Amino acid sequence: KLSTNFYSKRCPKVFSTVQSVVHSAISKQPRQGASLLRLHFHDCFVNGCDGSVLLDDTPTFRGEKTAGPNNGSIRAFEVVDEIKSKVEKECPGVVSCADILAIAARDSVKILGGPKWDVKLGRRDSKTASLSAANSGVIPPPTSTLSNLINRFKAKGLSTKDMVALSGAHTIGQARCTVFRDRIYKDKNIDSSFAKTRQNKCPKTTGLPGDNKIAPLDLQTPTAFDNYYYKNLIKQKGLLRSDQQLFNGGSTDSLVKKYSQDTKTFYSDFVNAMIKMGDIQPLTGSSGEIRKNCRKVNK
Ligand code: HEM
Ligand SMILES: [Ca+2]
Ligand SMILES: [Ca+2]
């Protein structure tokens, strides 16, 4: 079982060390905070919060980094490396990479102006990863319908409310043209001037380099953690098709409206859901290991 004081004897400085690295990474590039938050999500949804997403491919090992939802998309691994090397110097072999992701996600939200919470710790690191699980749709695609989003979160023990609150993470960060092209050229439930603005930097035809052009998920405040994500949805300015699904005449409209008007409720539901997400299938006790390097299993 995870606990908030897991490292208080064995590595009391872990919080200040992680926070200072995250802080300096975000001050150089605010997007790093978004990227760290997303790493924790993509870790937890694939075989639990076990650091599996961090393992590099080798000639004899396929990790999760080339899976559809991750390939060319997840980032901030150098920030995780820097945190890990500082923490290893202070407390060798004590703090897991899976816990580092949970703390870094929490710190990112806080530094970008969002809510604070006590993060539960004690996860251990996997000795494996699963490319097939990462590709299986457990991480929902940006073309998802509302019922698919609800079901994918439900499969991880998360409620519809948790799903809507966690989607508020799209108040920060960026997405590539390739994941929002169909939305801005084909969808009807989109503000037309917003669609035009986005079309300017995302060419209609597929192919590089256009596919990799990026745009903010939250057009208003892309580097601030706030409730503008929901305000945008009400104006039909969600960037991803899946985003706009949350406010499209269905069962989650009322919650989106609520969060758009009430930051406090959004924050408390977001925190509650982040803690639940961080509790997905952790390795504890003597399962797994404490990796020395987050990119590879110990020898
Ligand atoms: C509800 C289902 C979700 C879908 C369909 C989804 C999909 C996506 C997609 C397609 C991108 C852009 C990737 C790219 O173009 O490279 C993205 C970015 C992002 N997602 Fe999600 N996501 C979901 C839920 C979440 C959750 C639960 C979190 C965290 C709690 C999260 C955090 C983020 C962040 C912060 C970014 C920006 C990352 C960056 O700028 O590096 N997402 N998401
Ligand atoms: Ca994992
Ligand atoms: Ca924002």
Side-chain angles (χ1 to χ4, degrees):
K1 211 178 147 292
L2 306 180
S3 65
T4 55
N5 62 359
F6 191 80
Y7 296 115
S8 52
K9 291 240 164 63
R10 283 174 291 173
C11 195
K13 290 207 288 187
V14 65
F15 293 121
S16 58
T17 305
V18 176
Q19 196 190 48
S20 79
V21 177
V22 173
H23 196 280
S24 80
I26 288 177
S27 49
K28 282 177 212 141
Q29 188 190 72
R31 187 184 177 193
Q32 299 282 27
S35 307
L36 288 167
L37 175 57
R38 186 165 185 241
L39 276 183
H40 183 48
F41 165 50
H42 283 210
D43 184 21
C44 293
F45 266 54
V46 178
N47 295 341
C49 314
D50 61 357
S52 60
V53 72
L54 300 173
L55 292 172
D56 279 343
D57 283 12
T58 74
T60 55
F61 178 82
R62 278 319 280 288
E64 295 164 12
K65 290 184 174 178
T66 59
N70 293 338
N71 200 17
S73 182
I74 49 171
R75 54 198 293 283
F77 298 108
E78 331 71 53
V79 184
V80 177
D81 291 340
E82 194 187 337
I83 296 170
K84 180 63 172 171
S85 72
K86 292 215 161 115
V87 171
E88 280 300 299
K89 275 189 195 121
E90 283 163 8
C91 335
V94 171
V95 180
S96 67
C97 299
D99 278 348
I100 285 174
L101 287 183
I103 303 170
R106 184 275 305 266
D107 289 351
S108 296
V109 170
K110 183 167 77 175
I111 291 165
L112 294 171
K116 310 175 175 68
W117 66 95
D118 289 333
V119 61
K120 287 164 70 178
L121 301 165
R123 302 168 190 83
R124 291 168 63 83
D125 297 323
S126 69
K127 297 178 188 175
T128 55
S130 178
L131 178 62
S132 57
N135 270 325
S136 67
V138 284
I139 299 171
T143 48
S144 299
T145 59
L146 179 59
S147 69
N148 190 52
L149 295 172
I150 292 172
N151 288 328
R152 289 306 181 173
F153 279 69
K154 194 172 174 195
K156 298 290 163 188
L158 298 167
S159 67
T160 299
K161 188 202 261 193
D162 295 329
M163 185 276 289
V164 175
L166 287 170
S167 298
H170 290 176
T171 184
I172 53 174
Q174 307 274 329
R176 291 164 304 150
C177 172
T178 185
V179 301
F180 62 81
R181 177 180 284 121
D182 281 359
R183 165 135 179 86
I184 61 172
Y185 286 103
K186 294 185 182 163
D187 285 4
K188 297 276 180 287
N189 62 348
I190 187 168
D191 176 273
S192 61
S193 73
F194 172 63
K196 280 213 186 70
T197 310
R198 286 292 167 263
Q199 287 169 6
N200 286 333
K201 285 192 180 164
C202 176
K204 192 169 191 171
T205 43
T206 55
L208 296 173
D211 284 3
N212 283 338
K213 297 211 167 193
I214 54 171
L217 286 157
D218 170 359
L219 76 151
Q220 299 277 4
T221 57
T223 61
F225 196 99
D226 54 24
N227 67 341
Y228 271 90
Y229 172 75
Y230 303 102
K231 295 185 203 258
N232 298 334
L233 295 185
I234 286 174
K235 297 181 183 149
Q236 297 199 308
K237 292 178 180 177
L239 184 62
L240 307 179
R241 206 172 252 178
S242 51
D243 289 327
Q244 198 60 54
Q245 284 291 299
L246 305 183
F247 190 83
N248 195 40
S251 64
T252 52
D253 281 19
S254 53
L255 200 50
V256 168
K257 213 176 235 167
K258 173 86 178 153
Y259 292 158
S260 75
Q261 292 163 351
D262 181 354
T263 303
K264 274 215 171 93
T265 303
F266 163 46
Y267 281 4
S268 85
D269 289 354
F270 179 81
V271 164
N272 179 62
M274 281 296 289
I275 294 168
K276 268 170 87 172
M277 184 173 87
D279 253 330
I280 299 172
Q281 286 169 30
L283 297 170
T284 56
S286 58
S287 314
E289 64 181 13
I290 305 297
R291 272 180 225 147
K292 291 183 170 63
N293 175 335
C294 293
R295 295 176 182 267
K296 48 190 180 194
V297 299
N298 297 339
K299 284 201 205 73

